[in-house]
Amino acid sequence: MAETDQAAPPTDQLATMDLTETSLNHAFSDRVLIRSIVGRPDGGAGLAGKRVRAGGWVKTGREQGKGTFAFLELNDGSCPANLQVIVDAGVAVLNKLVATGTCVVVDGILKVPPEGAKQRIELRVENVVHIGEVDPAKYPIPKTKLTLEFLRDHLHLRSRTNTIAAIARIRNALAFATHSFFQEHHFLYVHTPIITTSDCEGAGEMFQVTTLINEAEKLEKELKENPPPSEDDVEGAKKLVTEKGEVVKQLKAAKASKEDINASVAELKNAKEKLSKLEERFKLKPGIPKKDGKIDYTQDFFARQAFLTVSGQLQVETYACALSNVYTFGPTFRAEHSHTSRHLAEFWMVEPEIAFADLKDDMNCAEAYVKYLCKWLLEKCLDDMEFMAKNYDKSCIDRLRMVADTPFVRISYTEAVDILEKAVKDGKKFENGVEWGIDLASEHERYLTEVKFQKPVIVYNYPKGIKAFYMRLNDDLKTVAAMDVLVPKVGELIGGSQREERYEVIRERILEMGLPLEPYEWYLDLRRYGTVKHCGFGLGFERMILFATGIDNIRDVIPFPRYPGRADL
Amino acid sequence: MAETDQAAPPTDQLATMDLTETSLNHAFSDRVLIRSIVGRPDGGAGLAGKRVRAGGWVKTGREQGKGTFAFLELNDGSCPANLQVIVDAGVAVLNKLVATGTCVVVDGILKVPPEGAKQRIELRVENVVHIGEVDPAKYPIPKTKLTLEFLRDHLHLRSRTNTIAAIARIRNALAFATHSFFQEHHFLYVHTPIITTSDCEGAGEMFQVTTLINEAEKLEKELKENPPPSEDDVEGAKKLVTEKGEVVKQLKAAKASKEDINASVAELKNAKEKLSKLEERFKLKPGIPKKDGKIDYTQDFFARQAFLTVSGQLQVETYACALSNVYTFGPTFRAEHSHTSRHLAEFWMVEPEIAFADLKDDMNCAEAYVKYLCKWLLEKCLDDMEFMAKNYDKSCIDRLRMVADTPFVRISYTEAVDILEKAVKDGKKFENGVEWGIDLASEHERYLTEVKFQKPVIVYNYPKGIKAFYMRLNDDLKTVAAMDVLVPKVGELIGGSQREERYEVIRERILEMGLPLEPYEWYLDLRRYGTVKHCGFGLGFERMILFATGIDNIRDVIPFPRYPGRADL
């Protein structure tokens, strides 16, 4: 797969756009967005004769007519399509304009190009307002075909490529679609914390957040510049205090003048202060503070050990159990040393939580949400989707259409295992064995959604042994009310469950799993006081983008990927 | 200030709501949202006769008519108003229902209450579907009047109070308004990184993100359970390798049987492997790995020192310089030991960035954005705003109206200092002295916006000495193109600037401020290649909520406040 310079043609996504002059959108700038010219249903033809200022970066440029004029394909990121710009040699030094990556702002008149041209409008330049030059010999990404791997080493410039720009627009669309969906259904957006002291899922995979190392380094530096007192220094200071004390005593005994006594008292006070300071500094020890052989977290910023969140679910439940319908959409973190194309150390999750709702409601919500996202992209991002279809994944648009239009299959985990066992019997080879009780592997999930049903599948009621303590125990006492949404291309897109709302049952489950009760007391309070049935799910936002775009590596669908050994910028 | 049980009356915010049956919104549950009953323009009266299921938490409940029936005020968080519910003793055990905080789901018929009642609709219960009981003696927040300070110690339950619920709805509205504003203006939402290795603003105030401490503790534990070899162990193993080598040599020299030689070679191989393992474990040292006396960050998760971001600006600029109009809206962090009512260690920032735009454009965008937020609250959250006006800040609605309708005053920093100096001359007392070159203190900012102009004020063109290196140097070489938006109640709400787009100038500014160039090379690349004028600003999201609600302490306007010594949940 390669980065290409081929931009999709403008689509009718802006069909509702006003065709009068007011449709020229400036977005708080004196230049008009290229999208509001070439993104019109008429490809911009109706704007012929208009004088506009346009700006963008040169995708391709070439001098023509023996250097008498230049063609520039200008892109400002507002849409995948470029604006064709023609500059005469009399207006500017042409060879300063044509290098890929050059930033150009121009004033000119929109004209309909000669018959047979690809474009339906072009800009004839009257005046060049700004040139941000590029030296093609030095520009890190001058070529039009660059691998996504190469671009990962140039995070700060890769959004200038058609591919990363299209992904950015698709990501933006999915984020706003997410908010729109939940707001339309009266869910409240809740900002769950990033820094957490609930190390509920085991601290091993969590990043620690601390100021202890910085503080220790500051102290170490300070002690080097300004060494702490020796034991002798302290002893000397003690001796001085004794001596000065003696002097005061003697003067008082000798009924000396008030002046003399006061002076000696002042000296004693000074000596005492000096001693106390020395004693304090004497106690300072370089390194991270310890107590009883362990790190003393009472001296850390939050007075206890703190981590980056792995999920906002438990916290957002506190809001669901008061405001009924809520969701969180924010960054989450895993300190796993995974070097796969499916894992990031920092990624975004969408986590709705619904009170007065059970697993069926949860599945209904998940299905409606995923369909909404697919429809949104088809309606508002078709030009970018066409770019992805042309360059990365022929089937990505069909996949969106299929998911938007097809009722999701719903099968129990037990039915899923039956299907997989039958497949094995019929000769299907899996790397991982299949039997009731296993966690479904990615290959199993993809078989169900891609081969068996060829549509989205929701698997529900999983064995309790492979699921978290907070999932609601079913009446069979063997399974919990969990569900996963599986889709073609990525497998599991969503994982969710009805939460255990019965105090005695959840308490038992925590103990059964060998977890301590104390850190969960606040969570148990939600069941102690005014408990309510509720459910929720989590959607891995980057997985949704992989699903939509057909991109293979998750590092390419987040602006600034973080993974073992890398956190550029 | 106190938590009260007084809910604002339903407003006409849902005036556009469909009055037919379809307007009953279930939000993926079998119960109808209370908002879609009492939030209607007719207060729900038009729904009389309808059979509905409703659920929520009891705000106040009381038995009446000598225990023959009970009144419950039920709230599900979907709006500030409660639904009045009447339960007959024949239907349920009444004293299980009436405690504040009890969760109740009921089926019943909506009826118009008797003349003179406050409500315009009430629910006559036919069947109680669920009771989540509360023991009032144990419930941590049973009282209707609780201080905000008290509630901070009960983060997991405080969203059940009217005040925190109203703030949550206002916060949600402001977040969605933010996305709506920028999407309407064709800005793309970009997720800037939370974990960053750009310690651009000085690591002192940044939280460190690390796995080194965990790894060290794991190793320490492992070494305790399984002590490392001693020097003697290693020497012994070395000796064994020599001996086994000798045996092989001798057998070979003696032309022993192939079998014997092979056996001895195998023994030698074993001995070598054992030695190599011992040597490796011998090297293991407990504690954080060091190299040349410093912490060896190459062994940390990202192979270098990593921090929590203090701003997404520098990173989002890379997207602005490709996609023109972008914004980020995410959590940011400061490890400052501030115990004030205005500082959090974790807070949310909105940071737009606009290419092809200068300081004037920046101010236009900031003003339009703030006005949009104010109008949004007046249109969509008036019932919650009325609650805040009644209970916390009488003037908060007027303030929103004033800011929405009044053109912002724009004055240069120099003019601002002139005004302040004149005020001092006229007898105004400030704690901080006023002269050209100082950074304006909060008292100065509030004087300008609250006393002098009594409307929002934008101050622009600040002395370069008090501003960041990336702000564009003005032609006077003394000031930079920075701007702050000041509003009544909070002072500075927004800080922004035009960015320095000239390579030579910004390079000089970095050096002038004593900063190293190397960490900024990627940032300089944006100026080296296809540079463009651009600008942006940051709005502290919690400050906006303080401004809107009149709440005094920032810890009460974020769901899970983090500050020195506290990061509950």
Side-chain angles (χ1 to χ4, degrees):
Chain A
M1 288 198 304
E3 163 67 11
T4 87
D5 197 55
Q6 201 71 41
T11 70
D12 60 352
Q13 69 166 260
L14 301 176
T16 56
M17 191 182 236
D18 186 0
L19 288 181
T20 65
E21 189 168 5
T22 57
S23 70
L24 286 173
N25 194 304
H26 290 262
F28 303 105
S29 161
D30 55 7
R31 69 82 180 78
V32 67
L33 290 181
I34 288 177
R35 170 196 171 113
S36 69
I37 301 173
V38 300
R40 293 160 51 107
D42 64 358
L47 295 171
K50 284 223 170 300
R51 223 176 220 101
V52 298
R53 171 167 292 184
W57 289 266
V58 173
K59 285 284 167 180
T60 55
R62 58 183 195 279
E63 294 185 52
Q64 294 258 296
K66 296 183 179 169
T68 56
F69 66 98
F71 276 118
L72 308 176
E73 291 287 329
L74 215 58
N75 189 291
D76 67 358
S78 62
C79 65
N82 303 323
L83 176 65
Q84 176 152 297
V85 171
I86 295 147
V87 195
D88 286 330
V91 173
V93 181
L94 299 185
N95 68 14
K96 282 192 170 187
L97 296 174
V98 292
T100 297
T102 304
C103 182
V104 179
V105 181
V106 291
D107 290 335
I109 298 181
L110 291 169
K111 294 203 170 164
V112 175
E115 290 248 346
K118 231 172 44 180
Q119 291 77 17
R120 296 170 69 184
I121 198 76
E122 62 185 23
L123 185 66
R124 283 264 167 188
V125 172
E126 295 177 318
N127 183 30
V128 174
V129 179
H130 165 76
I131 306 174
E133 285 183 61
V134 154
D135 177 349
K138 290 184 183 163
Y139 192 45
I141 55 165
K143 285 183 295 182
T144 51
K145 286 201 179 256
L146 300 165
T147 67
L148 293 172
E149 288 79 0
F150 174 85
L151 290 176
R152 263 173 244 145
D153 291 332
H154 299 85
L155 289 189
H156 62 303
L157 296 172
R158 71 175 181 164
S159 51
R160 298 186 181 190
T161 65
N162 291 333
T163 298
I164 300 297
I167 293 169
R169 285 185 295 265
I170 290 168
R171 187 179 173 104
N172 167 72
L174 288 171
F176 190 57
T178 293
H179 285 298
S180 297
F181 174 81
F182 289 109
Q183 296 290 327
E184 279 174 22
H185 289 94
H186 301 291
F187 285 62
L188 295 174
Y189 181 31
V190 174
H191 286 136
T192 47
I194 310 305
I195 297 171
T196 176
T197 51
S198 297
D199 54 343
C200 290
E201 313 219 3
E205 294 173 5
M206 293 174 95
F207 287 103
Q208 191 170 352
V209 176
T210 183
T211 53
L212 284 181
I213 295 177
N214 264 341
E215 297 287 339
E217 284 182 337
K218 243 190 268 171
L219 176 62
E220 209 157 317
K221 202 176 154 200
E222 203 271 327
L223 288 177
K224 247 178 218 161
E225 281 167 9
N226 193 0
S230 66
E231 213 164 322
D232 284 354
D233 293 337
V234 178
E235 283 310 311
K238 272 187 194 164
K239 217 168 141 190
L240 196 68
V241 169
T242 318
E243 284 169 16
K244 296 289 177 191
E246 278 304 313
V247 173
V248 173
K249 245 191 239 168
Q250 283 166 13
L251 286 175
K252 279 184 178 170
K255 298 202 170 159
S257 73
K258 206 171 177 182
E259 228 165 43
D260 285 353
I261 292 178
N262 281 352
S264 70
V265 166
E267 275 183 33
L268 172 61
K269 203 181 150 209
N270 274 344
K272 278 185 177 166
E273 270 169 18
K274 205 181 155 197
L275 171 62
S276 123
K277 271 186 201 157
L278 281 178
E279 281 178 329
E280 197 157 299
R281 281 190 63 78
F282 183 71
K283 272 186 274 177
L284 291 179
K285 289 209 181 74
I288 292 171
K290 296 213 169 187
K291 205 173 175 181
D292 307 328
K294 283 184 178 170
I295 293 172
D296 180 10
Y297 284 111
T298 64
Q299 296 195 41
D300 207 348
F301 190 89
F302 297 108
R304 50 191 296 196
Q305 216 173 351
F307 304 94
L308 291 181
T309 184
V310 296
S311 156
Q313 180 206 316
L314 301 196
Q315 287 93 346
V316 93
E317 278 186 54
T318 69
Y319 270 67
C321 293
L323 303 169
S324 304
N325 291 62
V326 296
Y327 67 109
T328 182
F329 179 15
T332 51
F333 306 84
R334 297 278 155 82
E336 270 173 56
H337 281 276
S338 304
H339 287 269
T340 77
S341 61
R342 291 301 162 100
H343 291 90
L344 288 169
E346 174 178 319
F347 55 101
W348 285 66
M349 285 248 281
V350 179
E351 296 177 286
E353 192 75 25
I354 320 172
F356 307 101
D358 60 19
L359 191 67
K360 180 179 62 40
D361 300 316
D362 207 31
M363 293 193 269
N364 290 344
C365 181
E367 180 168 343
Y369 171 45
V370 172
K371 285 184 148 70
Y372 187 96
L373 293 181
C374 294
K375 283 180 196 152
W376 187 283
L377 286 184
L378 291 168
E379 275 169 29
K380 319 225 177 200
C381 268
L382 197 55
D383 47 0
D384 285 309
M385 285 307 305
E386 281 166 353
F387 174 85
M388 299 314 299
K390 184 162 186 179
N391 295 286
Y392 290 93
D393 181 353
K394 276 192 197 70
S395 60
C396 65
I397 293 177
D398 292 338
R399 197 164 56 230
L400 289 181
R401 290 216 173 97
M402 185 273 286
V403 172
D405 297 338
T406 313
F408 292 12
V409 173
R410 299 187 186 189
I411 55 173
S412 71
Y413 169 87
T414 302
E415 288 169 306
V417 169
D418 285 348
I419 289 167
L420 294 169
E421 282 177 335
K422 183 162 183 310
V424 170
K425 215 185 260 169
D426 293 348
K428 170 75 191 165
K429 297 253 177 289
F430 291 118
E431 282 183 26
N432 304 276
V434 177
E435 59 172 335
W436 201 96
I438 61 153
D439 206 355
L440 299 185
S442 184
E443 56 175 342
H444 303 138
E445 294 171 340
R446 295 187 66 164
Y447 174 81
L448 291 169
T449 180
E450 291 174 359
V451 180
K452 173 71 184 173
F453 294 106
Q454 296 177 36
K455 56 181 88 163
V457 177
I458 309 184
V459 180
Y460 60 89
N461 287 353
Y462 282 80
K464 69 172 182 172
I466 56 171
K467 291 289 181 181
F469 74 89
Y470 51 71
M471 299 187 178
R472 193 179 196 278
L473 192 62
N474 286 322
D475 291 345
D476 61 14
L477 303 182
K478 277 166 47 188
T479 61
V480 289
M483 64 100 183
D484 284 351
V485 178
L486 318 177
V487 292
K489 170 78 191 167
V490 298
E492 185 191 328
L493 178 63
I494 280 177
S497 68
Q498 185 173 346
R499 321 307 188 186
E500 184 55 76
E501 87 281 12
R502 295 164 295 184
Y503 174 75
E504 291 299 341
V505 180
I506 195 166
R507 190 175 178 281
E508 202 48 50
R509 287 277 286 151
I510 291 173
L511 294 173
E512 192 180 297
M513 295 181 99
L515 297 167
L517 283 175
E518 194 278 325
Y520 299 102
E521 285 300 341
W522 64 266
Y523 191 68
L524 290 171
D525 269 0
L526 301 179
R527 280 79 182 163
R528 271 191 197 101
Y529 308 117
T531 192
V532 63
K533 73 174 171 177
H534 60 292
C535 60
F537 62 81
L539 170 132
F541 191 62
E542 284 74 22
R543 288 217 165 184
M544 181 65 208
I545 307 174
L546 291 175
F547 164 79
T549 59
I551 291 286
D552 281 323
N553 196 316
I554 199 166
R555 297 171 186 181
D556 301 321
V557 299
I558 190 167
F560 303 91
R562 272 79 184 95
Y563 45 96
R566 289 297 282 274
D568 292 1
L569 272 64
Chain B
M1 287 196 307
E3 165 67 10
T4 88
D5 198 56
Q6 200 70 44
T11 70
D12 60 351
Q13 68 166 261
L14 301 176
T16 56
M17 192 182 235
D18 187 2
L19 287 182
T20 66
E21 188 168 5
T22 58
S23 71
L24 285 174
N25 194 303
H26 289 263
F28 304 105
S29 161
D30 55 6
R31 70 80 183 78
V32 67
L33 292 181
I34 289 177
R35 170 196 172 115
S36 69
I37 301 173
V38 300
R40 293 160 50 107
D42 64 359
L47 295 171
K50 284 222 170 300
R51 220 175 222 102
V52 297
R53 171 167 292 183
W57 289 266
V58 172
K59 285 283 166 180
T60 55
R62 58 182 196 280
E63 293 184 51
Q64 295 260 295
K66 296 183 180 170
T68 56
F69 66 99
F71 277 117
L72 308 176
E73 291 286 329
L74 214 58
N75 188 289
D76 67 358
S78 61
C79 65
N82 304 323
L83 176 66
Q84 176 151 296
V85 170
I86 295 149
V87 195
D88 286 331
V91 173
V93 181
L94 299 185
N95 68 13
K96 282 193 171 189
L97 295 174
V98 293
T100 297
T102 304
C103 182
V104 177
V105 181
V106 291
D107 290 333
I109 298 182
L110 291 170
K111 295 201 171 166
V112 175
E115 291 249 345
K118 230 173 47 181
Q119 291 77 16
R120 297 171 68 185
I121 197 76
E122 62 186 22
L123 185 66
R124 284 264 167 187
V125 172
E126 296 177 318
N127 183 33
V128 174
V129 179
H130 164 77
I131 306 174
E133 286 183 61
V134 154
D135 178 350
K138 289 183 183 164
Y139 192 43
I141 56 166
K143 286 182 293 182
T144 51
K145 287 201 179 257
L146 299 165
T147 67
L148 293 172
E149 288 78 0
F150 174 86
L151 290 175
R152 263 173 244 147
D153 291 332
H154 299 84
L155 288 190
H156 62 303
L157 296 172
R158 71 174 182 165
S159 52
R160 297 185 181 190
T161 64
N162 291 334
T163 298
I164 299 296
I167 293 170
R169 284 185 295 266
I170 290 168
R171 187 178 172 105
N172 167 73
L174 288 171
F176 190 56
T178 293
H179 286 297
S180 297
F181 174 82
F182 288 110
Q183 296 289 329
E184 280 174 21
H185 288 94
H186 302 290
F187 285 62
L188 296 173
Y189 181 30
V190 173
H191 288 135
T192 47
I194 310 306
I195 298 171
T196 176
T197 52
S198 295
D199 55 343
C200 290
E201 312 218 5
E205 296 172 3
M206 292 173 95
F207 287 104
Q208 191 170 350
V209 176
T210 184
T211 54
L212 284 181
I213 295 178
N214 264 340
E215 297 288 338
E217 284 182 336
K218 242 189 268 171
L219 176 62
E220 211 157 315
K221 203 177 153 198
E222 203 271 326
L223 289 178
K224 246 179 219 161
E225 283 167 7
N226 192 1
S230 66
E231 213 162 324
D232 284 354
D233 293 337
V234 177
E235 283 310 310
K238 271 187 193 162
K239 218 168 141 190
L240 196 68
V241 169
T242 316
E243 283 169 16
K244 295 290 177 190
E246 277 304 313
V247 174
V248 173
K249 244 191 238 166
Q250 283 166 13
L251 285 176
K252 279 185 178 168
K255 298 203 170 157
S257 75
K258 207 170 175 180
E259 230 166 42
D260 286 354
I261 292 178
N262 281 353
S264 70
V265 166
E267 277 184 32
L268 173 60
K269 204 181 148 208
N270 276 343
K272 278 184 178 167
E273 272 170 14
K274 206 180 154 198
L275 171 62
S276 124
K277 271 185 201 157
L278 281 178
E279 282 178 328
E280 199 157 297
R281 281 191 62 79
F282 182 71
K283 272 187 276 177
L284 291 180
K285 290 208 180 76
I288 292 172
K290 296 213 171 186
K291 205 173 175 182
D292 307 328
K294 284 184 178 168
I295 293 173
D296 180 10
Y297 284 110
T298 64
Q299 295 193 42
D300 207 347
F301 190 90
F302 297 108
R304 48 191 297 196
Q305 216 174 352
F307 304 94
L308 291 181
T309 184
V310 295
S311 157
Q313 180 206 316
L314 301 196
Q315 287 93 344
V316 93
E317 279 187 53
T318 69
Y319 270 66
C321 293
L323 303 169
S324 305
N325 291 62
V326 296
Y327 68 109
T328 183
F329 179 16
T332 50
F333 306 84
R334 297 278 156 83
E336 270 172 57
H337 282 275
S338 304
H339 289 268
T340 78
S341 62
R342 292 300 162 101
H343 290 90
L344 288 168
E346 174 179 319
F347 55 101
W348 285 66
M349 285 248 280
V350 179
E351 297 177 285
E353 192 76 25
I354 320 172
F356 307 102
D358 60 20
L359 190 68
K360 179 179 61 41
D361 301 316
D362 207 32
M363 292 193 269
N364 290 344
C365 181
E367 180 169 344
Y369 170 46
V370 171
K371 285 184 145 73
Y372 187 97
L373 293 180
C374 294
K375 283 181 196 152
W376 186 283
L377 286 183
L378 291 168
E379 276 170 29
K380 320 226 175 197
C381 267
L382 197 55
D383 48 1
D384 286 308
M385 286 306 306
E386 280 165 354
F387 174 86
M388 299 313 301
K390 184 161 187 182
N391 294 287
Y392 290 93
D393 181 353
K394 275 191 197 71
S395 59
C396 65
I397 293 177
D398 293 337
R399 197 164 55 230
L400 288 181
R401 290 217 173 95
M402 184 274 285
V403 172
D405 297 337
T406 313
F408 292 12
V409 173
R410 300 187 186 189
I411 56 172
S412 71
Y413 169 88
T414 302
E415 288 169 306
V417 169
D418 284 349
I419 290 167
L420 294 168
E421 281 178 335
K422 185 163 181 309
V424 170
K425 215 183 260 168
D426 293 349
K428 169 76 190 161
K429 296 254 179 286
F430 290 118
E431 283 183 25
N432 303 275
V434 176
E435 60 172 334
W436 201 96
I438 62 152
D439 206 357
L440 299 185
S442 184
E443 56 174 342
H444 303 139
E445 294 171 342
R446 294 187 67 164
Y447 174 80
L448 291 170
T449 181
E450 291 173 359
V451 181
K452 172 71 185 173
F453 293 106
Q454 297 177 37
K455 56 180 92 164
V457 177
I458 309 184
V459 180
Y460 60 90
N461 287 351
Y462 282 81
K464 68 172 183 174
I466 57 171
K467 290 289 181 181
F469 74 89
Y470 52 72
M471 299 188 177
R472 193 177 195 280
L473 191 62
N474 286 323
D475 290 346
D476 62 14
L477 304 182
K478 278 166 46 190
T479 61
V480 289
M483 64 100 183
D484 284 353
V485 178
L486 318 177
V487 293
K489 170 77 191 168
V490 298
E492 186 191 327
L493 178 63
I494 280 176
S497 67
Q498 185 172 346
R499 320 307 187 187
E500 183 56 76
E501 87 281 13
R502 295 164 295 183
Y503 174 74
E504 290 300 339
V505 180
I506 196 167
R507 190 175 179 281
E508 201 49 49
R509 286 278 285 153
I510 291 174
L511 294 173
E512 193 178 297
M513 296 180 99
L515 297 167
L517 283 175
E518 195 278 325
Y520 299 103
E521 284 299 341
W522 64 267
Y523 191 68
L524 289 171
D525 270 359
L526 301 179
R527 280 75 181 164
R528 270 191 198 104
Y529 307 117
T531 192
V532 63
K533 73 174 171 178
H534 61 291
C535 61
F537 62 81
L539 170 132
F541 191 62
E542 283 75 21
R543 289 218 163 182
M544 182 65 210
I545 307 173
L546 292 175
F547 164 79
T549 59
I551 291 286
D552 281 324
N553 196 316
I554 198 166
R555 297 170 186 183
D556 301 321
V557 298
I558 191 166
F560 302 91
R562 273 81 185 92
Y563 45 96
R566 287 299 280 274
D568 290 1
L569 274 61

